[in-house]
Amino acid sequence: MFSILIIYEAENLELLITELKASIPDLDIEVWPEVENPEKIEAILTWKPPLGIMAKFPQLKVIMSLGAGVEQILRDPNLPQNVPIVRIVEPRVTSRMTEYILLAVLRVHRQAFAYQTLQQAQHWQPLPLPETSSCTIGILGLGILGTDAARTLNTLGFPIRGWSRTPKNIDGIKCFHGLDQLQPCLSQCRVLVCLLPLTKETKGILNRETFSAMPQGSYVINVARGQHLVEQDLLAALDSGQLSGACLDVFSQEPLPENHPFWSYPQITITPHVATQTDSEYWTQSLIDTICCFRDGLPLKNLVNRQQGY
Ligand code: NDP
Ligand code: OXD
């Protein structure tokens, strides 16, 4: 028998449990917080575990993150050393994220906001149609998600500037890396997309300095984590016209509190952390694959580098 613990609140949890048990009959599944045998738990499936609980499971051998971002797991001060963390990497998650970014970029590029204003004024006024080649897009983070978005946007003719921690060579994409190259990367970006993991190096990276390094009237899309953004700096950059708008899917506090200034700021578009999701069938299959690899002693895929924080 192999014991796993699910620490996750979801409507379809029963379905997930049924499917896991159907595929792996020797699986014993417990669901937090009613854990009968903490001393038997060998694997944990979670996204945002309560702080400090990881030390309760002396046999813990693997943690499976139900999200692509793992900062909520890594923040636990009691995280046992040397326990591998595997994160979700799934083609549907990637393609849906790219769809969201395309939508946000094309709204800017095809003047959706200007036409909305014209429609409200019942004013018929065609605007000059811009070329995609005149709209440079910056992508912070050239990982699984950033690379796919970069390639897809580039296929439509948008010039792309990508930024990562280590050097990259991606066809058609002008790549920058490291803090020294951040400002040169930003200097021509009409639209900036944040797809970085949240680490101590990237926290607050969408700040006044970053916005000032971009051309006046640029647009910011944050689909990574709320804590990448310094909220007051965004509002100041929008007030001054340094930024023309922002599309935000993630927030420091989720759900975004009632009366938060972002809700009513006309140039801010808000979605409730839905840039991407996977369908439960793909998600479950990916969990089954990981559990089987682990149980059979095969190499685990999509391992998190705990030192790097992603
Ligand atoms: P990856 O780990 O595949 O890629 C991360 C990228 O960020 C890499 O290119 C990495 O550089 C770069 N990076 C990390 N630290 C730095 C740094 N200090 N300076 C410059 N670049 C850095 O992650 P994913 O693409 O899978 O996901 C990215 C993030 O998107 C997740 O961590 C999560 O927070 C967010 N997300 C949001 C979702 C939503 O619904 N809104 C859904 C899924 C994910 P290098 O390549 O050199 O290592
Ligand atoms: C994730 C997310 O990290 O949904 O997967 O934000």
Side-chain angles (χ1 to χ4, degrees), residues 47 66-70 93 224-225 250 273 276:
W47 188 33
L66 298 172
V70 292
V93 171
R225 286 292 182 261
V250 286
H273 201 142
T276 184

Side-chain angles (χ1 to χ4, degrees), residues 95-144:
S95 62
R96 286 173 168 178
M97 176 59 87
T98 296
E99 274 173 23
Y100 182 98
I101 293 167
L102 271 181
L103 174 67
V105 167
L106 290 176
R107 267 200 307 250
V108 177
H109 175 64
R110 293 301 301 261
Q111 304 138 313
F113 305 112
Y115 281 116
Q116 221 168 352
T117 309
L118 287 168
Q119 182 177 343
Q120 274 154 11
Q122 301 191 11
H123 188 60
W124 181 275
Q125 188 193 334
L127 302 170
L129 197 56
E131 293 289 340
T132 50
S133 60
S134 67
C135 182
T136 299
I137 318 279
I139 307 218
L140 304 182
L142 286 175
I144 301 282

Side-chain angles (χ1 to χ4, degrees), residues 139-271:
I139 307 218
L140 304 182
L142 286 175
I144 301 282
L145 302 179
T147 301
D148 192 71
R151 287 203 170 111
T152 306
L153 286 162
N154 191 236
T155 305
L156 293 180
F158 292 102
I160 309 292
R161 307 280 181 269
W163 186 69
S164 52
R165 194 177 53 82
T166 57
K168 296 266 178 289
N169 193 349
I170 307 173
D171 260 3
I173 314 294
K174 192 158 179 199
C175 296
F176 298 79
H177 67 277
L179 258 193
D180 291 352
Q181 294 186 11
L182 179 58
Q183 297 246 341
C185 170
L186 297 169
S187 65
Q188 290 161 16
C189 297
R190 164 92 180 79
V191 178
L192 185 67
V193 182
C194 181
L195 267 173
L196 290 163
L198 184 65
T199 65
K200 57 183 186 319
E201 288 80 20
T202 64
K203 187 174 176 192
I205 197 159
L206 299 177
N207 58 28
R208 189 168 59 91
E209 220 180 314
T210 299
F211 303 146
S212 308
M214 297 169 67
Q216 193 170 23
S218 301
Y219 190 90
V220 168
I221 300 169
N222 188 17
V223 276
R225 286 292 182 261
Q227 286 172 51
H228 285 122
L229 176 68
V230 180
E231 296 190 348
Q232 287 312 317
D233 289 4
L234 174 69
L235 291 171
L238 291 168
D239 285 344
S240 72
Q242 176 57 27
L243 292 182
S244 59
C247 173
L248 307 175
D249 181 56
V250 286
F251 302 89
S252 283
Q253 196 183 333
E254 295 181 1
L256 186 64
E258 236 179 274
N259 301 323
H260 191 286
F262 286 175
W263 281 117
S264 53
Y265 202 100
Q267 284 94 333
I268 296 182
T269 299
I270 288 173
T271 49

